[in-house]
């Protein structure tokens, strides 16, 4: 299944209780500050119209990219579900296990992460 990937040592509980929440709030503040500085700088230099045009153009491209990526993600999640249901994923995991074990020695043999890799 397609599930969110958590940072090393992280868990859904730590996300919900604020383990990574404070970092996200800090980064949001940094981004908001940079945007505000840019808007103020554009207003002072008289190029606010250009900034507005660029912001709207960038937003349009971001939405187009998000829609495209959603379709691609749905396609590959479906392909992975078919591979898992047919047993192809397990067979590939058994075949690639020596390489996976060499690259990621900390993952236990029966962990589902081996199939996801």
């Amino acid at each position: 299944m397609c599930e969110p990937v958590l940072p090393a040592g992280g868990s859904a509980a730590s996300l919900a209780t604020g383990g990574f929440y404070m970092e996200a709030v800090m980064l949001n503040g940094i981004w908001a500050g940079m945007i505000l500085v840019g808007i103020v700088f554009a207003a002072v230099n008289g190029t606010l119209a250009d900034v507005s045009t660029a912001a709207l153009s960038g937003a349009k491209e971001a939405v187009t990219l998000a829609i495209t990526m959603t379709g691609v993600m749905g396609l590959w999640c479906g392909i992975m579900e078919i591979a898992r249901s047919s047993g192809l994923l397990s067979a590939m995991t058994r075949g690639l296990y020596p390489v996976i074990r060499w690259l990621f020695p900390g993952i236990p043999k029966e962990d589902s992460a081996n199939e996801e890799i």
Side-chain angles (χ1 to χ4, degrees):
M1 282 193 212
C2 293
E3 297 176 9
V5 178
L6 299 172
S11 67
S14 67
L15 286 174
T17 58
F20 298 101
Y21 177 75
M22 292 306 295
E23 293 174 10
V25 169
M26 183 175 60
L27 288 174
N28 287 342
I30 292 170
W31 278 108
M34 288 192 301
I35 290 169
L36 286 174
V37 167
I39 290 171
V40 169
F41 188 77
V44 168
N45 289 327
T47 58
L48 198 54
D50 293 337
V51 171
S52 298
T53 303
L56 291 175
S57 173
K60 177 183 172 190
E61 290 177 22
V63 169
T64 303
L65 177 64
I67 291 170
T68 302
M69 289 179 68
T70 301
V72 171
M73 189 71 177
L75 171 73
W76 283 108
C77 284
I79 289 172
M80 288 299 288
E81 282 300 314
I82 292 169
R84 182 176 286 118
S85 298
S86 68
L88 179 62
L89 204 56
S90 297
M92 289 175 67
T93 301
R94 284 191 302 272
L96 292 173
Y97 184 73
V99 175
I100 294 171
R101 187 73 175 155
W102 180 71
L103 290 172
F104 306 100
I107 299 176
K109 184 174 184 174
E110 298 302 320
D111 197 338
S112 65
N114 290 316
E115 280 189 5
E116 299 300 330
I117 292 171

